């Protein structure tokens, strides 16, 4: 109003009615106890008190207008700004981090910060924009988009299989050397199976325990025993023969890799671009295990000591 010089021009710029502008000014004058504008039937002019009030408010108003303009740029311009991303250590190292290079090449104005942590983060209070999560999700307060199923494989090295055989049933696991992982909660990881259509969980006695999945994988490759590991970690080693899988007929099928964020409404372009890119890129990765199940008869031959 102070800039436009009349209620009508101010109303036109704001896209509201002249009476709404007049009522707002009257309410403000009542709140501060001073007349801000002199009004006549022919003209409207700012008072001395109005000028003082305007000059005091102007820096704040300018900052608000700049903030609104920046928000408009974020919404309508190319993706930009900073993204804080959380992921489990294994999935973050093996899957998310390698894809970040291509994402940055496509969207150079978006800065990325990847935090690897096993504990479930609170997106609202921890300042996380996007979180990758594994397993089963029960949090109804977030948007959880399944990227791919989380396939789990009980694996061993060929040398271990030749020397000790492989388990043919879940109960046989107890007769083998096992490598397990300590979760962020302090518990040992349970091994999940589906037997006769029903879920079954065991926590095998472990000879070696790590709190990092890549170390568990290294121990399996070093002929130290069996471990249950996700497909994104072991699919390549299984295909090239560095590892063999067993118990594929009782592998679980109710887990997934998820990409999580707080809301679909007014999603910043940088988050939408990241979600779309990661969804497409991760689903295009080859973690297929069709050929593993097709060769189950070969694995049973290896299972015999």
């Amino acid at each position: 109003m102070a800039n436009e010089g009349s209620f009508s021009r101010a109303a036109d710029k704001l896209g509201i009615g002249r009476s709404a502008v007049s009522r707002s000014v009257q309410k403000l004058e009542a709140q501060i106890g001073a007349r801000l504008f002199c009004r006549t039937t022919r003209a409207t002019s700012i008072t001395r008190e109005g000028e003082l009030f305007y000059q005091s408010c102007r820096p704040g108003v300018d900052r608000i207008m700049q903030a609104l303009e920046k928000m408009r740029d974020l919404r309508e311009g190319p993706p930009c700004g900073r993204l804080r991303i959380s992921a489990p250590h294994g999935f973050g190292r093996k899957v998310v981090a390698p894809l970040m290079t291509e994402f940055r090449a496509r969207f150079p104005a978006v800065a990325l910060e990847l935090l690897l942590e096993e504990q479930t983060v609170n997106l609202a209070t921890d300042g996380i924009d996007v979180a990758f999560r594994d397993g089963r999700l029960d949090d109804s307060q977030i948007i959880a988009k399944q990227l791919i199923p989380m396939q789990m494989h009980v694996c061993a090295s060929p040398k271990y299989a030749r020397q000790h055989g492989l388990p043919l049933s879940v109960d046989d696991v107890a007769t083998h050397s096992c490598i397990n992982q300590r979760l962020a909660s302090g518990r040992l990881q349970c091994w999940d199976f589906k037997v006769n259509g029903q879920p079954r969980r065991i926590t095998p006695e472990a000879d070696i325990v790590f709190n990092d999945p890549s170390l568990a994988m290294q121990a399996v490759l070093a002929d130290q025993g069996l471990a249950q590991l996700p497909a994104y970690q072991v699919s390549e080693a299984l295909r090239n023969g560095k590892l063999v899988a067993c118990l594929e007929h009782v592998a679980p099928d109710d887990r997934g890799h998820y990409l999580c964020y707080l809301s679909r409404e007014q999603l910043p372009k940088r988050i939408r671009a990241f979600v779309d890119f990661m969804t497409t890129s991760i689903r295009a990765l080859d973690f297929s295990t069709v050929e593993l199940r097709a060769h189950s008869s070969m694995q049973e031959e290896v299972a015999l000591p």
Side-chain angles (χ1 to χ4, degrees):
M1 175 64 205
N3 285 334
E4 299 303 321
S6 81
F7 282 35
S8 297
R9 285 196 293 272
D12 290 342
K13 186 166 185 178
L14 293 171
I16 59 177
R18 183 186 185 284
S19 60
V21 174
S22 179
R23 286 194 301 270
S24 296
V25 170
Q26 289 173 2
K27 185 176 180 180
L28 181 58
E29 288 176 332
Q31 286 177 332
I32 64 177
R35 181 177 287 274
L36 301 176
F37 296 94
C38 290
R39 308 169 184 81
T40 69
T41 56
R42 298 190 175 202
T44 300
S45 60
I46 192 167
T47 64
R48 175 60 179 161
E49 290 80 6
E51 182 67 31
L52 289 172
F53 184 73
Y54 173 66
Q55 293 301 328
S56 297
C57 293
R58 185 169 182 174
V61 173
D62 287 344
R63 285 196 292 272
I64 291 173
M65 296 305 295
Q66 290 170 6
L68 290 173
E69 189 66 28
K70 184 177 289 187
M71 291 302 101
R72 190 177 298 108
D73 289 343
L74 287 174
R75 187 176 65 252
E76 299 174 0
C80 62
R82 178 172 292 276
L83 271 178
R84 298 187 81 230
I85 305 148
S86 171
H89 285 80
F91 196 77
R93 286 198 186 99
K94 185 73 174 179
V95 179
V96 180
L99 290 173
M100 287 170 59
T101 300
E102 184 180 347
F103 178 83
R104 285 275 299 140
R106 293 192 190 183
F107 305 102
V110 180
L112 302 177
E113 180 179 355
L114 176 61
L115 306 173
L116 300 181
E117 46 204 341
E118 296 303 320
Q119 290 197 354
T120 300
V121 298
N122 186 310
L123 276 70
T125 60
D126 295 337
I128 300 297
D129 297 299
V130 176
F132 292 89
R133 294 183 182 174
D134 295 339
R136 308 176 186 91
L137 294 192
D138 300 319
D139 190 345
S140 61
Q141 304 303 311
I142 60 174
I143 306 300
K145 183 175 187 178
Q146 181 170 324
L147 300 171
I148 51 175
M150 185 178 180
Q151 301 167 322
M152 300 297 293
H153 303 286
V154 177
C155 301
S157 69
K159 181 178 179 180
Y160 177 92
R162 287 193 300 270
Q163 292 179 345
H164 305 284
L166 293 174
L168 297 176
S169 71
V170 175
D171 291 332
D172 289 345
V173 172
T175 66
H176 285 265
S177 297
C178 293
I179 300 157
N180 210 352
Q181 298 177 60
R182 180 78 62 183
L183 304 177
S185 64
R187 295 185 298 105
L188 287 172
Q189 176 181 305
C190 294
W191 293 18
D192 287 328
F193 301 94
K194 193 170 186 178
V195 181
N196 297 323
Q198 298 299 317
R200 182 175 175 187
R201 308 187 88 187
I202 66 171
T203 306
E205 189 73 26
D207 296 319
I208 306 174
V209 176
F210 297 103
N211 68 344
D212 184 275
S214 61
L215 295 178
M217 169 92 166
Q218 290 175 27
V220 177
L221 289 168
D223 316 317
Q224 297 300 297
L226 307 175
Q228 188 177 58
L229 297 166
Y232 71 81
Q233 264 194 302
V234 299
S235 57
E236 183 178 352
L238 288 169
R239 284 194 292 266
N240 63 28
K242 292 182 179 179
L243 291 179
V244 293
C246 59
L247 302 178
E248 292 292 292
H249 63 292
V250 290
D253 58 6
D254 59 347
R255 299 162 65 96
H257 297 290
Y258 295 87
L259 193 157
C260 306
Y261 48 99
L262 281 176
S263 174
R264 291 190 180 95
E265 297 181 3
Q266 298 178 334
L267 197 64
K269 290 189 72 174
R270 64 187 183 279
I271 296 181
R272 172 56 59 196
F274 187 81
V275 169
D276 291 345
F277 172 84
M278 284 292 173
T279 299
T280 301
S281 299
I282 291 174
R283 287 177 178 173
L285 296 174
D286 183 12
F287 300 135
S288 172
T289 59
V290 173
E291 67 273 21
L292 301 179
R293 294 190 173 95
H295 291 85
S296 59
S297 60
M298 294 175 59
Q299 294 168 6
E300 289 178 5
E301 291 179 9
V302 176
L304 300 175

